[in-house]
Amino acid sequence: MKSHGFCFAYCVMLEDDPNIPAIAKYFNTKGRYEEVNPYLREDILAVNRSILQPPSEECQQIHLTAIIRHGTRYPTTKNIKEMQQLYNIILHNASGEQSWLRELQTQWTMWYTEDMDGRLVQKGVNELKHLAVRLSKLFPSLISEEKLRGGFIKFITSSKHRCVNSTLSFKAGLTEHWNIKDMEFDHAVNDALMRFFDTCTRFVEEVDNNPSAVTEVDTFKQGPEMRRVQQKIADHLNIPYSLITYDMAEAAFYLCAYEFAIKSVKSPWCQLFDEDDAKVIEFASDLREFWKRGYGHDINSRASCILFHDVFNRLDKVAAQNMSGQQVAEAVTVQIGHADTLLPLLTLLGFFKDSEPLTSTNFATQAHRSFRTSHMMPYAANLILVLYDCGGGDLRLQPLLNEKPVTFPGLTDRASMPLYRDVLEHYKDLLQGCNFETECQVFKQPAED
């Protein structure tokens, strides 16, 4: 944890916390933010401003854009149905003397109901409140009471209830922190930006609704590594192998993950897996994200062009206002969406690209892959872009992912805070050529006579 000096002493200790499942670091997009930033387990409002390190003391922060995934949510209806099915197998088919199995059969109850369907949970509310306070401590000149009251902080959200409620929670984090009771602050719902994947016809037809786009995922699910995991679960439960399909193995994994994310409980469901099993299920999930949201198909990331342009148009406007001596009208923009919003944008920007694509046959050689959603996309994951004026027209842009500085891929000069003009030059092909309407058009072959 080199980016957090205050973490040295106890981060090693935290690794062996008996209340945390050993497999928690493999929970993909169902993971807790605290697994990505373990220092927050000790102090949920901890920040370390020394990570920012502008090149000179003259550098002033003039704008911040934060693109944030919603907080912890309940499972979707589809997942809940599969969990119910697995729970019935445990109740009616499983046998054995293990204490965790007896606990599942006699004490644990299936408390998830289908109407929960992906709604934000209390933990998710808290995550966004805490994130808001931490960002106000990291960037006090931008995320300030004065800027909020003055209308310089804008909020944009996806229309999904979990995102709207995450936006309300982020705002509440600030208003409670500053004890603001005499004002309320608006947000705009914008699905064109935050749910671009719904309106990009080419993505919907060629990837989202096209089973052949994810053949690598299906092949891996039916392959030897996954079959071994399913058989081990069946052996633990003393039931026929045929009862534990991939969906049932995934449901058990999700039950362990959700019980931990929602209630901070190390549940008996986790006993069905060791770390080797978790790595296989993590890879299956990463494969799906890779082929549906990541580098697997170009349209996955190019569908996010509309959000990419939104961000850079805003940065350009801020740069122009700043250059002409005007006050920056939009000091902070907070945009709240989904993993499916953030992952394509990170892919478009070139983050987490491995030399080889993820496939059904390279689980073993991809053990140290960069493309790992457990590390980059927990609940409340965030990409933050901070524009600095370092004097004499020297603008710089600092990217942070989950509150840690990262480097724009391919830009190594002044690694974590390159010149803004160098960033524009680096992405000029996208800035000039990535047009949402053009990218998302489907060109139908003319019907033959």
Side-chain angles (χ1 to χ4, degrees):
M1 296 297 296
K2 58 179 179 294
S3 59
H4 292 276
F6 54 77
C7 193
F8 282 131
Y10 55 75
C11 276
V12 178
M13 259 168 24
L14 290 175
E15 287 298 303
D16 302 316
D17 189 323
N19 299 313
I20 296 175
I23 62 173
K25 52 171 133 359
Y26 306 108
F27 283 161
N28 301 96
T29 58
K30 310 290 184 281
R32 297 193 315 173
Y33 197 75
E34 295 93 317
E35 265 51 68
V36 172
N37 290 327
Y39 61 91
L40 294 175
R41 296 181 202 156
E42 289 290 300
D43 176 4
I44 199 64
L45 298 179
V47 297
N48 181 6
R49 296 200 66 212
S50 68
I51 61 170
L52 300 176
Q53 294 182 325
S56 82
E57 289 182 13
E58 283 179 61
C59 295
Q60 300 290 317
Q61 299 158 1
I62 57 172
H63 174 81
L64 179 151
T65 282
I67 301 168
I68 305 172
R69 183 190 178 200
H70 59 76
T72 300
R73 60 166 175 80
Y74 287 117
T76 59
T77 298
K78 175 182 176 289
N79 289 149
I80 291 169
K81 285 177 177 173
E82 289 167 351
M83 292 169 176
Q84 182 66 59
Q85 195 181 335
L86 175 67
Y87 182 53
N88 288 338
I89 290 172
I90 297 282
L91 286 182
H92 302 121
N93 303 88
S95 62
E97 294 304 310
Q98 306 98 310
S99 59
W100 58 264
L101 179 56
R102 281 204 302 278
E103 189 180 339
L104 285 179
Q105 290 177 323
T106 61
Q107 294 170 29
W108 194 85
T109 53
M110 179 61 191
W111 62 277
Y112 299 97
T113 54
E114 290 182 24
D115 60 348
M116 290 175 174
D117 192 24
R119 291 185 177 275
L120 197 69
V121 301
Q122 187 57 46
K123 175 73 161 58
V125 169
N126 296 341
E127 281 163 341
L128 272 293
K129 284 184 175 184
H130 293 145
L131 177 62
V133 173
R134 289 197 305 273
L135 292 182
S136 75
K137 289 166 71 176
L138 259 184
F139 305 103
S141 64
L142 291 176
I143 303 181
S144 66
E145 180 176 356
E146 181 190 1
K147 289 268 197 289
L148 183 61
R149 286 182 176 276
F152 297 103
I153 302 181
K154 301 279 177 14
F155 300 94
I156 298 168
T157 178
S158 146
S159 64
K160 283 284 184 184
H161 41 69
R162 57 183 166 273
C163 296
V164 172
N165 287 332
S166 291
T167 307
L168 296 173
S169 302
F170 190 99
K171 288 192 285 186
L174 297 181
T175 55
E176 289 168 15
H177 183 54
W178 295 318
N179 199 27
I180 298 175
K181 294 180 177 168
D182 59 329
M183 283 184 83
E184 293 194 352
F185 304 95
D186 293 337
H187 61 261
V189 173
N190 190 332
D191 282 345
L193 284 180
M194 307 316 292
R195 293 185 62 82
F196 52 76
F197 43 86
D198 280 344
T199 49
C200 181
T201 310
R202 195 174 137 224
F203 169 75
V204 171
E205 291 191 10
E206 293 183 9
V207 179
D208 214 25
N209 293 340
N210 178 11
S212 70
V214 290
T215 48
E216 291 295 328
V217 186
D218 295 332
T219 304
F220 184 75
K221 285 179 181 178
Q222 293 155 21
E225 296 95 348
M226 197 59 231
R227 192 177 314 119
R228 181 77 196 106
V229 172
Q230 291 163 222
Q231 289 172 350
K232 281 169 72 176
I233 293 171
D235 287 341
H236 284 313
L237 299 173
N238 200 20
I239 58 176
Y241 288 164
S242 60
L243 285 179
I244 300 297
T245 59
Y246 172 80
D247 286 346
M248 291 300 96
E250 185 185 63
F253 195 68
Y254 280 170
L255 277 161
C256 171
Y258 277 115
E259 294 283 282
F260 185 55
I262 296 171
K263 303 201 292 189
S264 300
V265 167
K266 184 178 179 180
S267 104
W269 291 104
C270 304
Q271 298 293 328
L272 287 168
F273 305 94
D274 59 28
E275 284 200 51
D276 289 338
D277 304 327
K279 288 174 185 174
V280 173
I281 297 182
E282 180 194 37
F283 187 76
S285 182
D286 281 347
L287 259 184
R288 181 186 174 280
E289 299 299 331
F290 182 89
W291 290 97
K292 289 203 88 160
R293 307 292 176 191
Y295 291 101
H297 304 285
D298 277 350
I299 190 59
N300 296 353
S301 61
R302 295 186 84 85
S304 73
C305 285
I306 189 167
L307 182 56
F308 172 86
H309 282 299
D310 174 69
V311 169
F312 278 95
N313 288 343
R314 186 183 312 119
L315 292 170
D316 281 348
K317 189 188 283 187
V318 168
Q321 287 172 341
N322 184 66
M323 206 64 79
S324 64
Q326 296 173 263
Q327 183 170 23
V328 171
E330 200 164 326
V332 177
T333 310
V334 176
Q335 300 180 278
I336 297 188
H338 307 263
D340 296 350
T341 312
L342 202 40
L343 199 49
L345 181 64
L346 290 172
T347 302
L348 190 71
L349 294 169
F351 288 100
F352 306 109
K353 187 169 190 181
D354 296 288
S355 54
E356 296 291 321
L358 273 63
T359 71
S360 56
T361 56
N362 64 8
F363 166 70
T365 56
Q366 289 283 16
H368 301 293
R369 65 190 178 277
S370 296
F371 192 91
R372 194 170 229 129
T373 54
S374 298
H375 294 178
M376 55 179 163
M377 205 53 59
Y379 292 117
N382 51 84
L383 172 67
I384 294 168
L385 299 169
V386 189
L387 194 63
Y388 288 80
D389 179 352
C390 294
D394 181 4
L395 294 182
R396 294 181 176 273
L397 187 65
Q398 179 171 44
L400 299 99
L401 185 69
N402 301 327
E403 301 171 72
K404 289 180 288 230
V406 288
T407 306
F408 287 113
L411 264 179
T412 50
D413 181 46
R414 298 266 185 185
S416 75
M417 208 177 289
L419 290 166
Y420 180 53
R421 64 173 176 268
D422 289 349
V423 177
L424 295 179
E425 175 64 24
H426 182 62
Y427 290 118
K428 72 170 186 244
D429 289 349
L430 289 172
L431 288 164
Q432 292 166 5
C434 197
N435 178 282
F436 181 80
E437 276 71 30
T438 310
E439 298 290 343
C440 292
Q441 266 181 314
V442 175
F443 297 101
K444 299 286 187 191
Q445 293 294 326
E448 292 183 18
D449 291 334

